[in-house]
Every structure is written in C-alpha cells, then in structure tokens.
Amino acid sequence: MDLVAACRAFVSVSEHGSFTVGAAAARTAQSVVSRRIAALEQRLGERLLDRSSRTVTLTPFGRDMLPSARQLVQSADRFDNEAEAARRRPLRLAVPAICPTGALARLIAEAHGHGVLLDPCPAGPAERSDLVTSRQVRAALLAVAPTGAAWTVPLGLAVADDPPGPIYLDTLRPGRADRDRRPRRVLLQPEDDVPHVRDRLVRLRDAVGLRPAQLAVAPAVAAAAADVLSRGDALLCSAAQARELHLHWRPVGELGPGFARGFSLAVADESDADAIRLCRACAYGIARCLGATEHSEAAA
C-alpha cells in the first residue's frame, strides 16, 4: 500500500465530505480513492469514515488520525518540492572574465537543452581556482599549460595597423632615435598573467633587449585597446578577441603557433553528474566562449 497516497485520499475526502468531490479535488478516480481509504482502514484496524449517510463524516478514530494524516501529506509535498528545487539547482561555473557575452548566452541555452541550469561566474585565473577549491562554484575553467589542456587558445598580438606577417618583439626595441619617445608596449590581460604565458614573454623580452616597462599587465581590456589604437601598443589576445575589438591579429614571431592559453574543467565534487555531463555535452560551446581552436574543440 502507498501510505502517502492513501493518506492523501483520506484527507481530501474528509475535507470535502464526499468521495465524489474529494476524488475530483485529488484528481483521482473515485474507485481508486475508495480502495486507498479501505486499505488504510485495514492497515490501521479501525474505520476512519462513516459512510452510513449521504454525507461522509469522520469517525472518532478518523478525527484522531486526520491531523497526522494531513501532516504526512504536507511533509511528502514538501519533500517533492525540495527534490524539484535540488534538481533545478543552478550549476555555477567559473569562467574567464574575457568570455564574450554572446558566446556565454549560447552556452547557457545549450546547457538548458541538456537539462542543466547553467550560471556562469566570470572571474580571473587565481579566483577561479579558489572558487572551485572552496566549493563556491560547482565547476571552473582553470588556466593550465597547453600541454595538459582540454581547450587551447593560440595567442598573438592585436595591433591597430595591418602588418603583413607575424610580429617579432625585437622590432619593438627602441633605437637611438627613439630615446625621447615612449616605447611601444606589449600589454597582457589579467587572464594571461599566469606563469605559462607571462614567463615566456618575460624571457623573450629580456632576450631581444626590450625595456622592462615594455611588458605590462593592463587592468582593463577597454583601456588596453585604447592604448593600442592611440599609442601604437600591442595587446596579447586571441584572434577571436582581436576581431571583437576590431584590431588586426598576428602571431608572435619568436614564439610560434604553440604559444597559447590552456584551459581544463575542474569540478568541486567528482560525483557531480551535471558538471561532468556539461563538460562532455557542451565542449563545443565552452570552446566558443574561450575562443579555442577547432583542434581543441575536438580534443575536449
């Protein structure tokens, strides 16, 4: 016997004083309601309802049991509601702050199609790692070296003019005639202020003889892009981001095509089925948000 269903039938008939009306209110066939109440009476060993008159009334035993039956039904309803809320718990995903809004919107819509309510949380590399470690998010796209990455994003320099080929950093080295001029800089975004990107550029800067100040971290992309347009600086970014900023993108000549950002997805709880399903089902959408290459999308 389904105890909750039987108590629900008992409560509904008791409140309406009729098997017909009570069954309709419970959206259950009257015959089913009658069988459930009869089974409940058999289990309890006493009659709950007096059926001797046109109107159904509670027996003394029924009056005593009604509050408990009502409480059981309410608890079951509350349990169902909490289960539904748990199923619809948003999956907070820490993503790079550089992800375009349009690509994130498409990723959220794609996740909806797989039954996941996605809540992206833009943050910098170190903050994303802290968020997933402290379980403030259920998953995070972490910055990793390209060799261990699920997604890779080739990096190059975005400039205002349209150079014919790769940009070599040694061409930014100030000459004697440039002594009194502000030298052109290579600007990093906070997303690229990580060892596997920054350290390679620092070594290259020193190797080609650039000044220390010619490699700097820009606090905001808009300000960095303005310096590219007005001062001739170069912004380290992906090709997709350069297009978004209406700048010309070229590879870094000395570093080649292997110079890239790397990303992997970390989950706070390895048993979190939704986070794992998101990684597998939405790999292409994540790649779009990151500006990853087709090769990286397939690897993911």
Side-chain angles (χ1 to χ4, degrees):
M1 182 190 70
D2 185 338
L3 183 59
V4 173
C7 287
R8 192 183 302 279
F10 169 49
V11 170
S12 185
V13 171
S14 300
E15 290 177 345
H16 293 87
S18 166
F19 275 89
T20 303
V21 179
R27 297 183 179 180
T28 308
Q30 181 176 338
S31 59
V32 174
V33 167
S34 297
R35 285 197 303 271
R36 287 175 177 173
I37 294 177
L40 181 60
E41 291 175 329
Q42 184 177 3
R43 171 172 175 155
L44 299 176
E46 291 281 350
R47 296 190 68 82
L48 297 166
L49 300 171
D50 184 356
R51 303 167 175 82
S52 60
S53 62
R54 180 176 297 179
T55 302
V56 177
T57 58
L58 288 164
T59 65
F61 179 72
R63 283 194 296 271
D64 290 340
M65 296 305 300
L66 181 59
S68 296
R70 185 178 287 119
Q71 185 177 8
L72 177 61
V73 171
Q74 291 171 348
S75 296
D77 289 342
R78 186 163 53 249
F79 181 81
D80 288 341
N81 291 336
E82 290 175 357
E84 177 64 21
R87 285 194 297 270
R88 293 188 58 79
R89 179 168 64 102
L91 195 162
R92 293 196 73 209
L93 172 67
V95 300
I98 58 173
C99 290
T101 301
L104 283 176
R106 291 178 65 188
L107 178 62
I108 293 170
E110 186 177 350
H112 285 172
H114 293 283
V116 177
L117 184 60
L118 183 64
D119 179 18
C121 178
E127 185 183 0
R128 296 198 302 274
S129 180
D130 291 341
L131 286 170
V132 74
T133 300
S134 62
R135 296 181 177 242
Q136 296 181 63
V137 297
R138 292 169 62 187
L141 293 171
L142 300 184
V144 298
T147 52
W151 298 272
T152 56
V153 184
L155 289 172
L157 296 175
V159 292
D161 54 3
D162 190 6
I167 298 175
Y168 290 84
L169 258 61
D170 65 359
T171 62
L172 305 183
R173 184 172 56 247
R176 293 181 180 178
D178 301 322
R179 185 176 303 172
D180 298 327
R181 297 179 183 176
R182 173 188 175 279
R184 294 177 66 190
R185 299 179 300 168
V186 174
L187 301 174
L188 278 70
Q189 301 174 67
E191 185 60 40
D192 297 315
D193 191 15
V194 291
H196 58 273
V197 175
R198 180 192 60 239
D199 292 355
R200 292 190 66 183
L201 283 174
V202 168
R203 289 194 295 270
L204 178 58
R205 177 201 66 188
D206 296 342
V208 301
L210 299 187
R211 299 174 186 174
Q214 285 186 265
L215 182 64
V217 178
V221 176
D227 285 343
V228 171
L229 292 169
S230 63
R231 298 185 173 183
D233 290 339
L235 174 65
L236 187 73
C237 65
S238 67
Q241 192 175 19
R243 289 192 297 270
E244 182 185 351
L245 296 170
H246 301 287
L247 298 173
H248 299 282
W249 187 89
R250 295 293 182 271
V252 180
E254 295 94 341
L255 297 179
F259 184 48
R261 296 173 183 146
F263 296 96
S264 65
L265 189 138
V267 294
D269 183 352
E270 292 184 0
S271 65
D272 191 335
D274 281 346
I276 295 171
R277 185 165 76 244
L278 174 74
C279 178
R280 293 174 179 171
C282 298
Y284 286 91
I286 292 173
R288 283 194 302 269
C289 290
L290 300 174
T293 62
E294 292 183 3
H295 173 77
S296 296
E297 289 184 62

